[in-house]
Structures are given as structure tokens and as C-alpha cells.
Amino acid sequence: MQSAGIQACIIPTTDPHIGEYTPDRWKTREWISGFTGSAGTVVITMDKAGLWTDSRYFLQAEEQLKGSGIDLFKTGLTETPSFSEWIASELRAEDCVGIEGEVFAASESKTLIEFFTGKDLKVRTDFAPYDSLWENRPPIPVNRAFVLPERFTGKSCHEKIEEVLTEIKKHQADMTILAALDAIAWLFNIRGNDVEYNPVCLSYAVVSEKETVLFISSEKLTQEVSEYLQLQGVVTADYGKITDYIQKIPAGTKVLTAPSKINYKLYSILSEKCEIKETTVHPADSLKSIKNETEIAGIRNAMLKDGVAMVKLLIDLEKAIENGETITELDIEKKILKYHSDREFYFGESFHPIVGYGAHGAIVHYEATPESNATIQRNGVLLIDTGAQYFDGTTDITRTISTGEVSETIKRDYTHVLKGHIQLASAVFPAGTVGMQLDALARLALWKSGQNFLHGTGHGVGCFLNVHEGPQSIRMNHNPAALAPGMITSNEPGLYLAGEYGIRIENLLLTVKAKTTDFGDFYAFETLTLCPIDIRLIDRSLLSPEETDWLNAYHQKVYDQLAPLLSKEEAGWLEKRTRAIIST
Amino acid sequence: MQSAGIQACIIPTTDPHIGEYTPDRWKTREWISGFTGSAGTVVITMDKAGLWTDSRYFLQAEEQLKGSGIDLFKTGLTETPSFSEWIASELRAEDCVGIEGEVFAASESKTLIEFFTGKDLKVRTDFAPYDSLWENRPPIPVNRAFVLPERFTGKSCHEKIEEVLTEIKKHQADMTILAALDAIAWLFNIRGNDVEYNPVCLSYAVVSEKETVLFISSEKLTQEVSEYLQLQGVVTADYGKITDYIQKIPAGTKVLTAPSKINYKLYSILSEKCEIKETTVHPADSLKSIKNETEIAGIRNAMLKDGVAMVKLLIDLEKAIENGETITELDIEKKILKYHSDREFYFGESFHPIVGYGAHGAIVHYEATPESNATIQRNGVLLIDTGAQYFDGTTDITRTISTGEVSETIKRDYTHVLKGHIQLASAVFPAGTVGMQLDALARLALWKSGQNFLHGTGHGVGCFLNVHEGPQSIRMNHNPAALAPGMITSNEPGLYLAGEYGIRIENLLLTVKAKTTDFGDFYAFETLTLCPIDIRLIDRSLLSPEETDWLNAYHQKVYDQLAPLLSKEEAGWLEKRTRAIIST
């Protein structure tokens, strides 16, 4: 920093593809801080260092930063300054902030540059000393890609390219650049192994009337993939050639980009000669988020499999507890992997399983380790959040389970979380509604008790793709992407009491058309996930008759759909756990 | 337009102070189109003309535009293009759009310029041919100002200036310019008569460490006002001198402005030499929106008066209907004016009363005329939306009243609107919550029936100031201003069935602190308005026990507070109309 004349540098979590999860090569923030969470930013000045991360990771970050000299800044709390504000308060006028433009979204870089310039600070966007400092930095991954057949995707790559071209024209553009790995995997009907839990392959793409080019290393291209792409009219080029290609785009070309989905380095090169047409949401992301009939049929099938796996797991767990056997968080994790992997079209997990007993459940993104591994006791609650990647769909489910005696307080808290879950699941809303408008439905029962959860209520979910995808979300923050029929979004209110317990109930929702009236189109949610919600944890006096009806109808559906796939004994257990409850 | 080389011009509703309601001098849109609604934009091209307005005015605009050659564009419907999109589709590359920068907010002008430039169109911001075209254009008003004593404002002008200066410094600015008339009236503790229903006086203001200058015509300055301002350390200058003053601000001065609250002409002059510090919400607006103890005591008193006036009106109305007397919408309007004006500290109405019987109730901003004036019949519902300006507070209330026989459908619709009203009124929410997060609470019961209302659910309300004020709102659209303790906001869900009937139930809400927990501060609403909600229109089977409890508690409070101010006979009527209902 000193030799570069820089007084503060910012190290984000993301990579040149602005991914939420990144290949090991770009885990610079983890390498420098030791903090392994999926979200966080490190800032280093000449005499201080800080990590900014959100409530999901407060406890984990505190643990992992011990002795590092890096201070924890808890984002989302009103008293916490943003890292930019903090830098501005630490530096003096004319000081310089260094970032590596290649791993920052163009939108974020522009915001940072504007902010720091307003504070009389300079910004350098080519500060990237990590290659020489980072011993044994992992190489760029070169795992093989494979084609996802149209029986799963429902559309050919060629058809999707045509749809993207139509959207590009609507934006008065000639061309678009894609850097987001999930959008590229969707568009080309290919999948890969380059990012843990995300079946994507490192690549860029250019789509224009003239040609569609996929930038991908030749090591990844099996004969099958090459032939498919050729058949679909796609040209391939080496991964590293994207910069050259962009530099050679004729001056004045109108290029559509979503600045939040392209890195600042590519964006800067583009903006030198091209006319950039900016969009908040890239059409490829919008198109990807609206699942077609084949994809919806696939996810329904994946839900049946996931439901069966969960039922088998819950039965094993209950038996072990009843029989007084020792069963730990890691034992449960292993069982989940087994039951998932026994199912048809299994590819892997969709994220690292979270199995948190008691106080561990309050650590929102807890990962059990041999050191932390807790044995399940006959009291309190256990939080299990897992998901799988099947060729026909991506799943994500959380259940909070009674392991024996529970207090009335836990029941009250659990029921408040459940009320929120049901209120959101049963919402009806007009076309154009965005997630922020519905988010409070999932929180109101908690808010009335002076409680809250600080993570989002819902994220988009891909089809055999990333378990977190845009453009839609259901959050306390504003996101202009409207909820549209065909989108899959999670519904996961929770409550976390540090040192005590954590509660979360998560199902996936499909947005569907509800009705059309003089007031326009109205949409609703269909709950896709099939797994009992623990009725032993409910304080029935807190549920309204409508909420009780929703739960009973949901449980009837879970039973009807899963029972035929279970043994008689398993079906008997499910019958008991999905029995209708009576409103008090 | 032809001689200026302009192919399209845009005429908005606002004025140099970016007011929602404007002095007659700037009612250019009304002059040119004949449309008298409070919101709308006219666009004229060489061969077409259009008016864009929202759902409150669809019926009225259709009526008033008949034969004008101006087409109606209904905003808020997905199929309606914005006026900018429409202009872009009508004009050819290199054509020019003309606007009068002085009557456009800087933010809106900048958006328009960016949009049209992106469409290869030019923009001229000095197109203002109206003075020569508009015969007998009203002059700039010069009504007298007066001081609002500190017994009503609770704070001296001097104290408020200090508070604004503190905020300016937080934004690293040296100075601010105020153009919003309500912010100026608030800051200087003055009121006036320049805008119908809004007790403000035409003025600009500059606040800096060096001096505070109020730009106001000398005709307005009574001796009382001059003396008060002098005592508070305020310098006065002529209204027309603001431009000169801004031109002479030393280069490099840091000037805080909210681009949505300053006109583009002033903003352009400022931006030539000064460093503009932009803010979404001007600190004067934030400070004004948080009512102090004196103001809250005042509004409570105003609510008692308004409640008494409403009770007297409703009794008269009921008697007239019972006795078979002819009573019309205009008769009711006269009665409201009388009952308001009988009260202490009455200054005027806070907006034109809306008294709409039957189908007229579905015209959201209906104003009865001698031609439209309907006689109240012994069936259906009557919508009454009125408000007054008292020295101690501004009121705004809507009640929908049964006038005799009503169908089960009306009762169902009324109860859905009431459910929304109660859900919002009884919300509890964490600090930082914005209106968009709560808006759905007021709509969900309607949405579930495939119904909606297309206006906002809540607007800020001033203290003896504008009945619509910012920064907060509760709407389907995003507004980043959080709801904070001390703010007054309306709660007015409704339902409008064209040609049939309109329903709206409106109370004013005070945001109050509810509790502080480990999860931070939580706020709630206290309903300020005191007036029975028509229980004869409720379908009790649709209310939850909690909703019934809310209504009964509200009615108990209405009775307890108003009864001591009423005659025995009036109190008897109120007792009947506020009787607890039983949940079915």
C-alpha cells in the first residue's frame, strides 16, 4: 500500500463474475482475514483493519477474527458506519483508496468513486497486489463442463439466445456481455463444477445479432459440450480472451449491461468506446427467474425427493433420541448427505448443511466442526437447513425440530415465526408487487413481540443452479424486481436468541396467477416444499383459524404426496406428524 | 413551439416552489387543459396533446377533457406509457423537447434530460411562452403574512435555524437554499394566504452560518412579522432577489439542496459555481415532520374540535334522512364549513371537502358542483372527506356512512377496507421501517378479494401547514424516508367501484415509541382522529377477534374524549354509534 501510495484498501467477497460464492482463487478476503462466511468486506488502513459482515455471521466472525487484529463491524445496526464512511473518517483529504476493479461490480465501484471523490479522497481501481503476496494462491479452476439436457431445461440454448436478443433490442442495444456464471449456465444449458455448491463453470459470454460467443477454457469443453454448442450456433473462445474481445468491439456499439452484474474492469474498457445501455436487471436474469413448465415439473419432482429424504432423516433422529443413542450435529449432516445422494439425479448439496442444536441454532450460518459438534439432548430445539442439487431442481429447506422438553417461551417464539411464514405463504397481491411490500407479513407477529430477524425473508432459487439467485427477493430493503409467475422464492422467517436457540421455518414458494379482476392481475404463492412443520412446537392459542386451516391443508398435501413414496412405517410416522391440529 | 424549434412541450402541475398545490398564477396546466385536478401533466406535440393523471382523477379528467382534443393517459396502469416514453415514441431523432425549468424540480429535469438525451432528443429548459399567451394571467400573490405564536409552534424561529445549521454541517455544507413554502413557513414560524388551503406565503430562504435571509415581498411583511423576524436574527429581501443572491454566492461554496425540492432554474445557477451537496430529504423537511410536544398537544386539541364538528354533522345528516328532508352533497359541504368554522382557532379548510354520494364516492377527488349535486337517498353509502386548518393543527378525516339500506356486498367491501385500516393502525415495527414495508397491511384483505385502491395509503400531515407533507409516506411505491416518532401520517385505505360507490376510512396516526428490546427500538401508531366508524356497515363475521377489540377500544376512546364536549342528546347519539360490537 505504501509503495502504491494508497492509505486504505477494500477487499470484498466477490470475484470477476460478481458471484456470491466464488472459486477458491478469489477467496482473498478469507485468505487475509481467516473469516470464512459467505458475505463480508475487509478494509485495511495503515494502522487499522476491519471486517464488515451481517447478522448471520456476527458470532462466527467474532470467533474467527480473535487475535487477527481485525475489528468486527456489524452491518445492519444503526450505530455501525458503512465501510466507506469509516474509511472517510480515518483518512485525510487527498489520501487514496485502492480497490481491485476486477472483483468489484461496476455499480459498486461507481458508487465508491463518487462517495470518496465527494470526501476529497482519491480512488485507484487497479490495486491488486495479492498474486505476489498470497503463497500457493489457488489457480483458476478448469473442471469439466457438461450439457444439461433439454428434458430438464425445457428450452434449447438457441431458443434462449433468441429471447435474450429480443430483450436486447427492446433496450435499443446491439449486444450484451454476460459475466454472471449462473446466467451463462442457464443460457447455454451447460453446468460445471467450478464453484462449491453452485453447478456453474467459469466463463463470460457475448450475445449479439452477429454472433454468440462463450469464453471458456478449452480444458472444460468435452466433446459433448463442444458439439452441443456448435449445434446451437455458439462460437467458443478462451476464457482469457474476453478483454481482447471487448477492446475490439467497434466504437459506438450499443452494449446492454447490468452494472451490478459486470466487473468494473470490463465495464471501464467498454465505456471507453461503446455506448453503454444500463439496466438494473439483466434480461438473462429475468428470463432465467421465470421457470418454464418443464423446470416447474422438475422442481416438483425434486421436492418429492427432498421431502422423502427429510422424512427419513427426521425418523432416524427421533428414534435415536427415543432410544437414548448418541447422535451429534455431524452425524445428522452425514445422514442428510446420504439421504440426498440416494435420490435420482442427485448431483450434490446446494449449500453446506446447517445443523445447529440449542445455542448453535442461533448462529445463522452455523457449520458444525469436530470441535463444536454438539450431541443432541432430550430438550430444546434443533435447526436443520439443507438443500440439494438434482438435475431436475435445486432445493432449500429449513425445519426446527423439538428434541424433547421445550419451554413455553420457545413455543411462543416458534409460533410467531410460523405465523409469519403462513402470512407470507397465503398472501395474494397485484401484479407489480415487489418483495419489500410483502416482507412485513413474515415479520409482524415477531415485531409485535419486539423481536425480529435481520436476514432477508426470501431469496430466488435456480433450477439446478445457484440456491441464491435474483432478480427478486423478499427483504426489508428495496429491490425493484417484481414477483412474477414462475419465480421460485424462499419463505424463511426466523428468530435467533444468541446463546439460547434459533428458529427458522423455510419452504420454497412458486409465484402463480391467482385471479384477474377489474383491478388487474393478482398473484399468489404455491408452497413447493413438502415436509412436516413440527406441530409439537406450536402454541395453538396464538394461531388464527385461518392460519390453522393453512397449516392443516399444507400437512394434508405433504402427506398425500409423500406417503406413496414411503414405507408403511414411514408413512405411519408422517401421518402422525401431519395430523390436523385444532384451533383453540 | 414552431418558432422556438420545439416539437414537444411538457406542462406540469407544480410551480417555482415545487408545491403540490400552487397559487393561481402557476396553474398553467389547468389554464391550458381545463382539467382542475391536483395532479397531472400535459404534453403537447405538433399534432397531439395528452394529459397524464392518476386514478383519483380518471373519471373527473375524462369529463373535463371532453372536446378539448387532449387525450387522457391513465398513470399507474401497466399499459400506460409514461409521458416521457410517449414523447420519445412520437418524436424523431434530434427533435427538441421544451420545458420551463423554473416549474420543474431539479431532480425531475435531470431525469428528463438524461432520458431524452438517451433517446437522441434535445431538451430546452427555458421554454416558457405562457406570459404572452395567457390573457389575464393571475399576478404573483401578495397576501399578508402573519406570525404563528410559539404557544402553537413550541419552538422559536431562532432555535429552528440552529437545528437546520447543525444538519447542514453534518452534510459538510456551508449553506442551504429553501424553496418549499411549507418548510419556510415552518422554519420562520410564519403563515400566509398565498395558496388555497395551504397557509403558506410565497418566499425563498437561504440559511448559512453567516446569515439567514427570507426572500419575501415587502407587501406581505406586516410590522408584526418584520419585528419578529428581526428579533430572531433573520434578514429579509425582496422575493425576486433570490436569483441575484444565488448568482453572487462565492464560487466553491458548498450548498446543501434536495433536488426534488428546488426548481431547476435555481439549481442550474447554483451548480455553475457552487459545490452542490445533494440530499434526498432536506433536513428542514425532516425536522418539520417530527412534531414537538407543543405541536402534538395542539393536534390533539384540533382532533377534539374536528370530532365534535363531525358528530354534529353526522347527527344533522341522520336526522334529515330520518325526517325525509332533502339534503344534498352541497348542503353537507356547507354544514361542514359551518361546524369547522365554529371551532376555536379556525383558519380555514385544509382542502376542498369531498362529499360524494353513491357513484360520486367512487370519484376519488370528487367536488360537488351545482350541476352534479346529488340528493342523499335512503340507501347506499356517502363518502365524506374533509379537514380544517386550526392554528393548533391541521386535520384530515374520511368517513363512509350508511344512509339507509345497504347490500351485503357493500358491507363486505367496507369491512375489507376497515380490516386494512385496523391492520395498519395496530402495526408495530422496528426503527428504520419505511412506509412501503407497511403499505400491504392496509391492502391485504382487499387483495385477497382481487380488489385494490390505486392511491397511497398514507401521507404526512403538517401542523397548521400543508395537509400533504413529506418526507414520509405509506404507499405501494418506495420512499426511503423512515417513519419516526412524532410524525403524523394518514391511514386511508379505500375501494372505488366506478358507477357504484366509493369507500374510504381515514384517520391520522402519530408514530410513537412502543418498546426497546435486544432487537432495538420498535415503534407503533397512536390514532389521533376521534370520530365513530360506521358499525352499521360492518360484516362482523369478517373481523378477527383482534380487529374487533381494536375497533371497540377505539370507539371507547372516541366516546370518552368527545362526550364531555357534546350536549346530552349528542352524547347519547355518540354512545349508540360507538357501542362495542361482538365478534361472531
Side-chain angles (χ1 to χ4, degrees), chain A residues 16 103 117 119 133 172 211 232 280 324 349 361 383 410:
Chain A
V103 297
T117 309
K119 300 287 182 189
L133 298 173
Q172 273 101 34
E211 61 180 357
Q232 301 292 320
T280 321
E349 296 300 287
L383 188 154
I410 294 185

Side-chain angles (χ1 to χ4, degrees), chain B residues 395-407:
Chain B
T395 61
D396 185 0
I397 176 173
T398 310
R399 286 296 181 268
T400 306
I401 305 296
S402 161
T403 65
E405 287 286 304
V406 289
S407 67

Side-chain angles (χ1 to χ4, degrees), chain A residues 195-354:
Chain A
V195 182
E196 210 180 356
Y197 306 119
N198 295 184
V200 294
C201 23
L202 217 58
S203 50
Y204 291 99
V206 168
V207 179
S208 71
E209 194 66 66
K210 194 184 120 220
E211 61 180 357
T212 298
V213 188
L214 177 65
F215 297 83
I216 188 166
S217 357
S218 53
E219 287 106 324
K220 292 184 188 302
L221 291 173
T222 60
Q223 196 183 343
E224 180 214 13
V225 174
S226 295
E227 281 172 6
Y228 180 73
L229 293 174
Q230 204 173 2
L231 208 66
Q232 301 292 320
V234 174
V235 178
T236 56
D238 193 66
Y239 176 68
K241 295 287 182 209
I242 181 71
T243 315
D244 283 4
Y245 189 96
I246 290 184
Q247 276 161 342
K248 287 181 191 146
I249 294 173
T253 303
K254 292 170 182 169
V255 183
L256 180 71
T257 63
S260 61
K261 291 285 187 177
I262 186 169
N263 75 56
Y264 184 70
K265 187 179 163 192
L266 293 186
Y267 182 91
S268 304
I269 301 173
L270 267 182
S271 59
E272 274 167 29
K273 296 183 307 174
C274 298
E275 184 183 330
I276 295 188
K277 299 278 184 181
E278 295 197 359
T279 173
T280 321
V281 177
H282 196 285
D285 286 323
S286 302
L287 290 166
K288 170 170 60 59
S289 72
I290 309 292
K291 275 61 180 173
N292 62 42
E293 289 301 317
T294 308
E295 290 171 318
I296 292 171
I299 182 77
R300 285 191 205 284
N301 200 41
M303 286 301 179
L304 290 172
K305 293 184 279 186
D306 228 48
V308 168
M310 282 297 290
V311 165
K312 287 175 187 288
L313 172 78
L314 294 174
I315 291 173
D316 282 2
L317 176 65
E318 220 170 286
K319 274 190 190 158
I321 295 171
E322 263 170 33
N323 299 340
E325 293 164 22
T326 297
I327 184 164
T328 69
E329 294 167 339
L330 287 176
D331 293 334
I332 296 168
E333 212 177 292
K334 265 185 232 140
K335 278 182 182 289
I336 292 165
L337 294 183
K338 179 186 177 322
Y339 286 130
H340 278 163
S341 61
D342 282 349
R343 309 268 89 70
E344 193 187 25
F345 302 141
Y346 176 77
F347 179 77
E349 296 300 287
S350 62
F351 56 94
H352 192 288
I354 299 168

Side-chain angles (χ1 to χ4, degrees), chain A residues 78 118-120 172 254 275 277 423 426-431 433-434 436-441 444 446-454 475-478 495-497 515 517-520 522, chain B residues 78 118-120 172 254 275 277 423 426-431 433-434 436-441 444 446-454 475-478 495-497 515 517-520 522:
Chain A
T78 43
K119 300 287 182 189
D120 298 326
Q172 273 101 34
K254 292 170 182 169
E275 184 183 330
K277 299 278 184 181
Q423 285 299 323
S426 56
V428 179
F429 48 92
T433 298
V434 305
M436 192 197 204
Q437 291 173 267
L438 301 182
D439 178 75
L441 300 177
L444 194 61
L446 291 166
W447 286 354
K448 288 190 174 181
S449 299
Q451 297 177 315
N452 201 4
F453 56 96
L454 298 181
R475 302 181 67 87
M476 292 198 283
N477 323 67
H478 183 53
L495 181 70
Y496 311 95
L497 302 182
K515 57 185 108 183
T517 72
D518 290 350
F519 294 89
F522 287 80
Chain B
T78 42
K119 301 286 182 187
D120 299 325
Q172 273 100 35
K254 292 171 182 168
E275 183 182 330
K277 299 276 185 184
Q423 286 299 322
S426 57
V428 178
F429 48 92
T433 298
V434 304
M436 193 198 204
Q437 291 173 266
L438 302 182
D439 177 75
L441 300 178
L444 195 59
L446 290 166
W447 286 353
K448 288 190 175 181
S449 300
Q451 296 177 315
N452 201 5
F453 56 97
L454 298 181
R475 303 181 66 86
M476 292 197 283
N477 322 68
H478 184 234
L495 181 69
Y496 311 95
L497 302 183
K515 57 183 106 182
T517 71
D518 290 350
F519 293 90
F522 287 81

